[in-house]
Amino acid sequence: MAIRNIDWRVRTVGTGIFLTNSIKVFEVNSTAAKVFLMCDGKHDVGMMVSGIKSSFQTDCTDQEIQTDINEALDVFKSIGAVQM
């Protein structure tokens, strides 16, 4: 399970959603922001898939959603926003 780094936050500015710490800023979409917020050590990827499906209307399969979540987690890990 992934756990958010306490230095990182999701911020909304105007219509943009940003993942930021005191040095870096990344623009993300609402789905990536939701995934980041579920990185609380309580949600596994399966639970994240369910959370995304319940929050957003999508025609994607569970496998497609899981692939997207894993890609987002890889990016979050590479920038130090989450620990696995």
Side-chain angles (χ1 to χ4, degrees), residues 36-56:
F36 177 75
L37 293 173
M38 287 190 283
C39 292
D40 57 5
K42 297 176 185 174
H43 290 83
D44 61 20
V45 173
M47 295 168 77
M48 290 180 181
V49 169
S50 296
I52 294 300
K53 286 178 67 174
S54 67
S55 296
F56 303 99

Side-chain angles (χ1 to χ4, degrees), residues 27-82:
E27 187 168 14
V28 297
N29 62 27
S30 56
T31 306
K34 175 83 172 172
V35 169
F36 177 75
L37 293 173
M38 287 190 283
C39 292
D40 57 5
K42 297 176 185 174
H43 290 83
D44 61 20
V45 173
M47 295 168 77
M48 290 180 181
V49 169
S50 296
I52 294 300
K53 286 178 67 174
S54 67
S55 296
F56 303 99
Q57 289 186 349
T58 181
D59 294 332
C60 295
T61 66
D62 286 4
Q63 184 59 47
E64 291 170 322
I65 295 169
Q66 182 173 338
T67 298
D68 290 346
I69 289 170
N70 285 328
E71 289 175 5
L73 291 173
D74 287 344
V75 171
F76 296 157
K77 183 179 175 185
S78 74
I79 63 172
V82 300

